[in-house]
Amino acid sequence: MRIAVLRERRPGERRVALLPELLPRLLQAGVEVAVEPDVGAEVGVPDDAYAAAGAYVGDDAMEGADLVLSVQPINLATARALAEGTVTVSFLPPTQEMPLVRRLRERRLTAFSMDLIPRIARAQTMDALSSQSMVAGYRAAVVAAERLPRFFPLFMTAAGTVRPATVLVLGAGVAGLQAIATTRRLGADVSAYDVRKSSAEEVASLGARFVDLGLPPLEGEGGYAREMTEERSTRQRELLTPHIAASDVLITTAAVPGRTAPLLVTPEMIVGMRPGSVVVDLVADQGGNVAGSVPGQELSTGGVLIWGGQNVPSQLPVPASQLYAQNVLNLILLLVRDGRLHLDFDDEILAASCLTHDGEVRHRHTQDLIGEVG
């Protein structure tokens, strides 16, 4: 059995799907590993390191591969080039990749999506959405600290006292909690809001204040928030407005996989912030929590800087790759038995994360979408 690790094709993607230090576990499992040249260039890992760990390095790495690894989904040309029955593992959000899903089905390729790993205890070591969200949350805090024209921590000096910056985080999932923890370590006065009741205790455990708007909680499946009505959304924005106005930094992290990020902050809410304040919309490339945020751009409105996130984990490619590669390795070890591919769809992790197989779309929601748009 041969595993191929692809050099990323999508512009701006700096992560890599597998690192040399993980190769021994795959080789011990009885598989061969081949990598494309410069696969680890963006994370400072030369081809020689892969070769020294036992991998074949060459432009033909994909030829004869049984399993193909990448961070971003393979492109249509790669899908056309792969042999029928080849297995791919990558991030692959089906709602954003319908042409590719059709190509995978037509080519009878088996695609496992890291976006679809179920949120169960047994799958935690494979949960790439969580590992990459942690990286993004840290990055959000650093971006805010770098761009805010003042200190984060309290300083008491002979010349006077400098009060700490006030930070408000909207969304207390993995990314939000990491943003809270990091801004707290930097010395900021931090508060946070989430629609889930369970978040209050987690926020408090990090030394931040939970903002209670007095609204009913919205607990959804898999630990995510449930979609809210427009009436609830409007009322929530009204109640959040004074909290946002009182903040030096606003970090928004609310996202639900497979859906457009909810709009939490309108232009009118930004107007109330002091000039020099910073807004970090971590999910701008998923639709954005902040009206007017643009992925990959910094804009200024009324003296308030709005930073739009775009593939944020890739901005810290070394730790992001280390975590993602470990997630992928743990999934591969479920797919391999005695040096061969073993697709056991009675395993709930494999069943949930398999998007296409043997000419069929296995993921129920994607089946419905293909029916609607096809």
Side-chain angles (χ1 to χ4, degrees):
M1 175 186 165
R2 187 182 212 189
I3 295 177
V5 186
L6 302 189
R7 184 175 57 251
E8 296 298 318
R9 270 62 166 170
R10 296 201 178 186
E13 182 54 69
R14 302 171 62 199
R15 293 170 290 180
V16 62
L18 193 66
L19 293 168
E21 56 262 33
L22 299 180
L23 262 61
R25 293 190 64 186
L26 291 176
L27 299 177
Q28 289 167 11
V31 303
E32 299 176 4
V33 178
V35 303
E36 293 186 325
D38 296 325
V39 70
E42 292 286 357
V43 293
V45 179
D47 292 342
D48 289 348
Y50 284 97
Y56 166 79
V57 181
D59 290 318
D60 59 346
M62 199 167 56
E63 293 182 14
D66 302 286
L67 176 60
V68 173
L69 308 181
S70 60
V71 178
Q72 295 292 337
I74 62 173
N75 57 30
L76 293 174
T78 300
R80 188 183 301 114
L82 292 175
E84 181 179 311
T86 303
V87 177
T88 69
V89 173
S90 69
F91 280 117
L92 206 175
T95 56
Q96 300 170 31
E97 300 287 345
M98 278 301 167
L100 177 58
V101 173
R102 291 193 181 91
R103 178 64 56 81
L104 293 166
R105 180 184 61 180
E106 292 166 3
R107 294 288 302 148
R108 304 182 76 85
L109 301 175
T110 298
F112 287 92
S113 171
M114 299 302 287
D115 298 86
L116 301 180
I117 296 292
R119 283 204 156 185
I120 58 176
R122 184 168 152 261
Q124 284 182 346
T125 60
M126 307 164 212
D127 187 356
L129 285 178
S130 291
S131 73
Q132 302 306 289
S133 291
M134 183 190 74
V135 176
Y138 172 86
R139 174 67 176 152
V142 172
V143 165
E146 183 180 46
R147 284 156 177 77
L148 187 69
R150 55 173 301 154
F151 293 130
F152 259 38
L154 167 72
F155 281 100
M156 301 180 70
T157 75
T161 299
V162 179
R163 69 174 182 83
T166 55
V167 174
L168 174 63
V169 178
L170 301 184
V174 175
L177 291 173
Q178 186 59 51
I180 292 166
T182 306
T183 51
R184 281 282 299 153
R185 290 190 193 106
L186 291 172
D189 181 5
V190 184
S191 57
Y193 173 73
D194 194 287
V195 298
R196 297 164 302 167
K197 184 178 180 180
S198 58
S199 298
E201 186 174 334
E202 295 172 323
V203 168
S205 72
L206 295 173
R209 295 184 305 279
F210 186 78
V211 176
D212 187 352
L213 300 181
L215 297 173
L218 295 175
E219 303 280 355
E221 295 181 1
Y224 294 104
R226 183 161 45 89
E227 197 169 357
M228 68 180 74
T229 64
E230 184 55 39
E231 180 182 1
R232 159 66 186 251
S233 182
T234 300
R235 181 56 179 157
Q236 178 176 288
R237 288 194 289 263
E238 291 173 352
L239 295 172
L240 281 173
T241 296
H243 296 278
I244 291 173
S247 301
D248 300 306
V249 170
L250 172 65
I251 298 174
T252 66
T253 70
V256 179
R259 299 182 185 178
T260 301
L263 178 64
L264 304 180
V265 182
T266 63
E268 293 75 20
M269 298 164 77
I270 298 294
V271 168
M273 298 183 77
R274 292 181 288 271
S277 299
V278 174
V279 176
V280 174
D281 187 351
L282 202 56
V283 294
D285 56 1
Q286 299 174 51
N289 295 148
V290 180
S293 68
V294 179
Q297 293 188 26
E298 294 182 22
L299 307 173
S300 181
T301 176
V304 177
L305 185 146
I306 301 176
W307 185 88
Q310 184 174 40
N311 194 4
V312 178
S314 186
Q315 296 175 20
L316 291 171
V318 173
S321 296
Q322 290 170 339
L323 295 168
Y324 179 75
Q326 188 65 59
N327 296 145
V328 168
L329 172 65
N330 291 328
L331 179 62
I332 292 172
L333 295 177
L334 274 186
L335 293 169
V336 176
R337 183 176 298 176
D338 298 325
R340 297 178 180 273
L341 274 174
H342 181 75
L343 305 183
D344 179 10
F345 292 118
D346 289 330
D347 186 297
E348 60 184 326
I349 297 173
L350 299 184
S353 59
C354 184
L355 184 55
T356 63
H357 174 65
D358 198 22
E360 297 182 353
V361 175
R362 290 182 54 91
H363 184 240
R364 179 60 59 85
H365 180 57
T366 306
Q367 290 174 353
D368 296 339
L369 287 174
I370 284 190
E372 290 173 8
V373 302

